[in-house]
Amino acid sequence: MPKIEIAIALLLLLPLIFAFKALVFPKYFQNGFIASAFCFVYFLICFGLNFEVNQSSYLIKINWLEWNAHKISFEIFLNSTQAIFLTLISFIALLVNVFSISYMHDEENTARYYGFLSLFIFSMFGFVMSDNLFFMFIFWELLGFSSFLLVGFWFKNIKAAKAAMKAFLVNRVADMGFIVAICICYSVWGTFSLQEIIELQQSGTITAPVLYAFLIGGGFLIASLGKSAQFPFQGWLPDAMQGPTPVSALMHAATMVAAGIFLLCKVFILLHPDILMFATCIGCITAFMGSYTAAGQYDLKKILAYSTISQLGFMMIALGVGHPELAFFHLITHAFFKSCLFLTAGSIIHAMESIKARLIKTEIKVNFDTQVIKMIGGLRKQMPFTFGIYLVATLGASGFPFTSGFLSKDEILSSTFIWANSQANSFYYFIPILALMSTFLTAFYMGRQFIMLFFGQNEFANQLKNHFNQSEEKDGNWESFKENYLSVKESGLFMLVPMALLGLFSAWIFFSWHPFSISYAWIFDFIHFEGITNRLTHGSSFVHISIILFSIFLVCLGLFSANMIYRKHPSSRFLMMQSIFSKSKLGLKLSINHFYLDYFYKIGIIYPTLSIAKFCVKIESKLNEMITLLTYIIVGLAHFTFWIDRVVIDGLLVKGLARCSVQISYTLKKSTNGNIGFYLYAFILAVFGIGVLYFLLK
């Protein structure tokens, strides 16, 4: 068996075997060392695949089902693009598992946690490598199922359970688009094989009619919008932060939510131009909404969740303007700095949980949310390594120069302006303008979060100090109490090493020799998607340089504004701006409530659906009452007919006639007694009677 086939078999079998063993024999898999060892093996295999595949591609087919002229095969397609994505998945999975050794140390049922993670890794590997649309959909659904299990890992927490259900249901609604798309693909091309469909489409042998092409592209786009949390399906992702933080780093930043983008990249050749235009609009709306909403949040993980939504919007914009390779590049860079942000956030939350655990042992009533950034400020001196790593990832997410995020995001901005300039209507300039506004907001909310976490005031400590000073039964002074109960230590190596590696890969040098241009980016030589008509132009055009300079200005302005507004002692000239930000009721409410999107769903969809359901229940109740009444009537009629049958028909008619016949025969029997005189008397009497009757009738 060739090396490639052995590697693919191991990548599919090992995670599935580990998941099965961890869930069936949990006592042997309570710590994460075995899971991390398996992930290290996955990473070595995926890393080696890059050298085996290089610029070639491999297609493996295994017949699965065949009837008449129809056939479904399990197909694996592997090229350099898939190899890069597999390496990314396995690398981040490895770091997340290592991080979880310390983060999940005190949790119960950790074997279940590692088993669910392994099931997710298996699903992700299968989805990336699968080339048959039918099996792609199976792995796609397994991703949703794995997400449901991991988000609801703490299922005793009602918020986590509801968040898992919300994520599951929203994605199932969007997945109807996937079903429609693959069904139409089969009806047009007679196969689920993506490579065969692409060959038929490129050769012009069989092309989809315009309506079918629109429905196919629309179906795939809707499925992608659900999985990648794009407008109007993005509401599930912030709620999914109820799951363990390492899960968010793996699934909701680097891999699963990016699966929707990767799906559109794979089927890019099948996307109708109008669908691409629609995707561009959706992307810019989502990027702006996500960044604007993040600017008003105080929950640490929700800010990162809305940031993820916004960054996925940029990827959707790149797809829409005809550059799936650029969307994939931003997917890669985003995976590193956003996973780093989530893991560092997990490190902070873990430290805050230790404070909360110590305070619970005292008699002080603790009302302390460990994820609210204004409650946990001033961590720079206590967690210096986390501070440095978080700074690098923050700059990457903001698109600051010398980071990988700058390379990918700025290329998307310049490509979007070039695309808008090529359109006949100047109306399309609103897309790059919204993207630039999102760039400013991204730098602002990332700077805001960073400043409040590491330089801001710790409101919880201040409240506790006031309580301590007012308490009559205080023992000792505030400083000793603060030292004993409110001090935090830097995270251990199992947390710091994964964070540091991800922060390291947020630098530009790993993707391009030139910090301001992707002209020297090696990765584009290994990204291959079918259907790309306009290749990236990496030249130093005036538009390109202007957009880069303006983008750098916006990023610096956003970071500077956040620093001046949210530092402990803001400058007096920014006090007015801070007052505007805090008192602008409409703008703040829109940001805090995510443009009331969930409210709209409740008012426009959920409540009407529930009302219709309740109305249907009432109708069903009335119908049940009518059916019950009709049943009683039918049963009564049945009893009546039974009585008629038993008493009248059987009793009077059948049995009555029988008794009459018996009685008559018995009477006649008595008359045949053999007495001649009696016979003569009866004969005379009969003749007389007949005569009388004759005269009467005459």
Side-chain angles (χ1 to χ4, degrees), residues 20-325:
F20 174 78
K21 287 191 173 182
L23 296 173
V24 176
F25 308 105
K27 69 177 183 178
Y28 301 108
F29 299 91
Q30 290 297 334
N31 62 61
F33 290 101
I34 301 176
S36 300
F38 269 77
C39 287
F40 184 67
V41 173
Y42 309 153
F43 172 68
L44 291 179
I45 294 172
C46 294
F47 188 73
L49 281 176
N50 289 277
F51 299 98
E52 288 291 329
V53 173
N54 201 3
Q55 295 289 353
S56 56
S57 60
Y58 293 85
L59 180 63
I60 302 171
K61 281 189 178 184
I62 301 173
N63 288 336
W64 179 68
L65 186 63
E66 189 171 354
W67 76 103
N68 297 332
H70 307 282
K71 181 172 65 175
I72 300 178
S73 301
F74 179 68
E75 300 176 30
I76 296 293
F77 180 75
L78 196 62
N79 63 8
S80 55
T81 307
Q82 270 88 342
I84 291 172
F85 199 21
L86 290 172
T87 306
L88 172 73
I89 295 166
S90 58
F91 181 66
I92 294 180
L94 170 61
L95 297 183
V96 164
N97 274 273
V98 172
F99 185 90
S100 299
I101 293 174
S102 181
Y103 189 86
M104 302 294 290
H105 182 265
D106 298 325
E107 294 292 336
E108 298 178 352
N109 300 319
T110 50
R112 179 164 56 89
Y113 169 79
Y114 291 114
F116 290 164
L117 273 181
S118 189
L119 179 63
F120 168 78
I121 294 168
F122 160 75
S123 306
M124 199 68 200
F125 283 165
F127 171 73
V128 172
M129 292 189 290
S130 180
D131 192 63
N132 185 287
L133 292 174
F134 180 80
F135 282 97
M136 281 176 64
F137 178 72
I138 291 176
F139 286 114
W140 179 271
E141 292 301 304
L142 281 173
L143 285 174
F145 179 63
S146 304
S147 173
F148 168 76
L149 295 175
L150 284 165
V151 172
F153 176 75
W154 290 316
F155 58 88
K156 293 181 181 179
N157 181 352
I158 189 65
K159 289 184 178 180
K162 287 184 176 180
M165 187 61 70
K166 182 178 181 179
F168 187 80
L169 292 177
V170 170
N171 277 276
R172 296 297 74 73
V173 171
D175 289 351
M176 289 300 297
F178 203 127
I179 296 174
V180 170
I182 62 176
C183 288
I184 297 176
C185 282
Y186 192 83
S187 68
V188 173
W189 289 287
T191 179
F192 288 120
S193 174
L194 187 57
Q195 290 305 307
E196 292 181 11
I197 292 173
I198 291 173
E199 289 175 4
L200 292 171
Q201 179 76 4
Q202 287 179 329
S203 64
T205 306
I206 302 177
T207 56
V210 175
L211 177 60
Y212 282 4
F214 189 83
L215 291 175
I216 289 169
F220 283 128
L221 178 62
I222 291 172
S224 176
L225 296 180
K227 192 71 73 181
S228 294
Q230 298 292 282
F231 179 82
F233 299 107
Q234 71 265 43
W236 67 268
L237 185 57
D239 292 345
M241 297 301 108
Q242 293 294 331
T245 305
V247 169
S248 301
L250 177 63
M251 298 171 54
H252 303 137
T255 54
M256 193 198 80
V257 292
I261 302 297
F262 188 70
L263 171 67
L264 292 184
C265 290
K266 289 181 76 169
V267 301
F268 184 77
I269 191 173
L270 304 180
L271 301 181
H272 191 272
D274 291 339
I275 296 298
L276 291 176
M277 180 68 72
F278 186 69
T280 308
C281 298
I282 290 292
C284 79
I285 291 170
T286 307
F288 177 77
M289 288 181 68
S291 57
Y292 187 84
T293 304
Q297 301 296 315
Y298 286 98
D299 187 289
L300 176 57
K301 289 174 66 176
K302 280 195 173 183
I303 293 173
L304 297 180
Y306 285 115
S307 174
T308 300
I309 291 171
S310 180
Q311 297 296 328
L312 290 166
F314 277 98
M315 299 177 206
M316 194 66 72
I317 292 172
L319 268 165
V321 299
H323 294 297
E325 73 279 27

Side-chain angles (χ1 to χ4, degrees), residues 495-694:
M495 289 188 179
L496 285 178
V497 171
M499 291 157 48
L501 287 173
L502 289 170
L504 184 65
F505 280 99
S506 298
W508 91 95
I509 194 67
F510 295 97
F511 301 95
S512 174
W513 293 111
H514 198 301
F516 295 97
S517 174
I518 62 171
S519 301
Y520 301 90
W522 59 268
I523 195 169
F524 288 101
D525 295 332
F526 300 92
I527 300 177
H528 305 288
F529 295 112
E530 301 294 340
I532 301 175
T533 55
N534 51 336
R535 293 287 174 181
L536 284 172
T537 55
H538 309 306
S540 57
S541 64
F542 175 76
V543 174
H544 184 74
I545 295 174
S546 301
I547 295 302
I548 287 178
L549 292 175
F550 189 60
S551 172
I552 293 173
F553 168 74
L554 289 177
V555 169
C556 293
L557 180 63
L559 293 173
F560 178 73
S561 301
N563 178 63
M564 297 303 293
I565 293 173
Y566 291 99
R567 285 296 289 267
K568 288 183 179 179
H569 306 291
S571 174
S572 58
R573 63 181 178 273
F574 279 88
L575 287 175
M576 184 179 294
M577 185 185 298
Q578 186 178 14
S579 176
I580 292 172
F581 269 81
S582 60
K583 294 180 180 180
S584 178
K585 293 184 178 180
L586 178 60
L588 193 61
K589 285 182 179 180
L590 285 175
S591 179
I592 292 173
N593 296 291
H594 191 34
F595 291 84
Y596 293 95
L597 196 61
D598 284 343
Y599 179 78
F600 169 76
Y601 283 145
K602 289 179 181 179
I603 299 299
I605 298 175
I606 296 174
Y607 289 162
T609 302
L610 290 175
S611 299
I612 293 171
K614 289 178 181 178
F615 178 71
C616 292
V617 168
K618 289 182 180 180
I619 292 177
E620 184 186 20
S621 178
K622 295 296 182 182
L623 288 174
N624 284 337
E625 291 177 3
M626 294 174 61
I627 291 171
T628 302
L629 179 62
L630 185 61
T631 302
Y632 287 143
I633 293 172
I634 293 172
V635 171
L637 288 173
H639 283 292
F640 177 72
T641 54
F642 174 74
W643 182 83
I644 293 292
D645 181 70
R646 183 172 57 85
V647 175
V648 177
I649 297 176
D650 284 348
L652 294 178
L653 296 179
V654 178
K655 293 181 179 179
L657 289 174
R659 290 192 185 98
C660 289
S661 300
V662 170
Q663 190 63 37
I664 291 170
S665 64
Y666 180 73
T667 304
L668 292 175
K669 179 181 177 182
K670 286 184 177 181
S671 64
T672 58
N673 54 11
N675 190 334
I676 297 175
F678 178 77
Y679 292 161
L680 183 60
Y681 174 75
F683 175 75
I684 294 171
L685 188 62
V687 170
F688 178 75
I690 291 170
V692 172
L693 184 63
Y694 173 76

